[in-house]
Amino acid sequence: MEKIVLVVEDELLNRKLLRDILTHRGTVVIEAGTGREGVDLANEKKPDLILMDIQLPVMDGMEATRLIKANQTTRHIPIVALTGYAMEGDEKRMREAGCDEYLSKPFRVKELLKMIDSILGLRSIEGTGEKA
Ligand code: MN
C-alpha cells in the first residue's frame, strides 16, 4: 500500500524539492502551506508521515505539531521537523512540541531519505543500486 506523506512548507521551491524526492521514492505527497492547513490535512487524510517546517504563516510548525500530537486521532503520526536558519534551542523546542525527528536545512537528501525509509519501514536505498 502506498504511503502518504504530508509536507507542510511555505517556500514553494523547498516544497517542490521535497515533492520530487518523495514522489521519486514512491510515496503519495500531499501539501500544505500553513500550519493551520497542515493540522487540517493531517486530520482529514491521516498521512503516514509529516514533514514539518517551523517558520510558517498563520500558525507556525511548533503550534501545528502540538495540535497534531494533542489530537487522539493524529498523535501516532510521526513528525519530522525541518528547519532553516536553525536557531539555538529550536530542536529542543520542537521536540518539546512533540516532533519525533529533527533535521536542519540544508539537509543532505540521502540523510532525509534514510530517515523517511526508516520511519515508513521502506527498504533502505543503500545497496539497491538506486540513485539517491
Ligand atoms: Mn518556512
Side-chain angles (χ1 to χ4, degrees):
M1 194 153 126
E2 275 173 323
K3 302 286 187 180
I4 302 173
V5 181
L6 168 60
V7 173
V8 189
E9 166 68 79
D10 60 323
E11 303 284 342
L12 292 182
L13 275 176
N14 287 341
R15 224 153 89 191
K16 182 182 174 351
L17 172 70
L18 292 169
R19 185 196 309 139
D20 289 349
I21 292 171
L22 290 162
T23 304
H24 182 73
R25 195 66 193 100
T27 68
V28 173
V29 183
I30 52 180
E31 301 172 32
T34 71
R36 182 71 255 171
E37 265 185 272
V39 172
D40 291 344
L41 269 181
N43 270 320
E44 194 183 317
K45 305 282 187 189
K46 307 288 189 296
D48 298 287
L49 168 67
I50 299 171
L51 302 183
M52 181 73 77
D53 184 23
I54 295 185
Q55 303 234 357
L56 291 164
V58 185
M59 177 193 293
D60 70 20
M62 233 167 277
E63 183 61 16
T65 297
R66 262 188 224 110
L67 289 176
I68 290 166
K69 291 297 185 178
N71 182 331
Q72 208 63 254
T73 66
T74 53
R75 67 183 320 154
H76 65 282
I77 303 170
I79 299 180
V80 175
L82 297 177
T83 174
Y85 319 106
M87 309 262 283
E88 181 86 20
D90 267 359
E91 176 165 7
K92 187 170 180 284
R93 281 192 292 274
M94 277 310 284
R95 288 200 187 271
E96 279 165 4
C99 84
D100 301 271
E101 297 290 346
Y102 179 93
L103 264 187
S104 54
K105 293 185 262 189
F107 49 81
R108 286 162 57 231
V109 171
K110 210 173 160 184
E111 198 181 351
L112 177 67
L113 279 172
K114 212 171 146 185
M115 199 176 267
I116 291 170
D117 285 356
S118 103
I119 292 172
L120 293 179
L122 298 172
R123 194 172 50 146
S124 170
I125 292 270
E126 248 137 353
T128 63
E130 193 176 334
K131 285 193 193 104

